[in-house]
Amino acid sequence: MLDWFSGYVGYDASRLAVGRFFMLNADGEVVRDSPRWETARGSYEAGIQVTQGCPTGRMLADAQSMGFHCAPIQCFRVSGNPSKFLQG
C-alpha cells in the first residue's frame, strides 16, 4: 500500500486554476513567485495537495527513456496520501 506520495505527474496542468505565492524583499521587489498548493478533495473529505510544476530536463529524459510522455511545460505536482484520497 502506498502511504504518501510527493512528486510530479506528467499530465498537462496548464489549465489548473491555482493562486500565486509572492515573496517580496524590503524594497518591495518580487524575490520569489510560485504557484500555490490547492486541495483536491476526495472521498470522505480526504484531500491531497496539487499545484503546477515544471519538469527538469533530467525528468523529461528519464520519462522518455522509460517510454512515458511528460508534459514539457506545466505538469501536476502532487503531495498527499493517495490511499485516503481514493478510499476514505
Side-chain angles (χ1 to χ4, degrees), residues 14-81:
S14 61
R15 299 181 74 187
L16 178 66
V18 295
R20 305 291 302 173
F21 172 78
F22 293 97
M23 182 185 294
L24 307 174
N25 66 13
D27 297 325
E29 297 173 9
V30 176
V31 177
R32 182 178 175 194
D33 171 18
S34 62
R36 285 187 50 199
W37 289 89
E38 300 291 336
T39 301
R41 293 280 173 217
S43 56
Y44 301 101
E45 290 299 310
I48 58 172
Q49 301 294 309
V50 296
T51 192
Q52 296 172 338
C54 294
T56 64
R58 173 76 187 261
M59 292 166 74
L60 292 170
D62 288 347
Q64 188 176 18
S65 72
M66 291 184 277
F68 297 114
H69 174 73
C70 185
I73 299 175
Q74 292 288 336
C75 61
F76 281 98
R77 223 174 131 195
V78 179
S79 182
N81 186 330

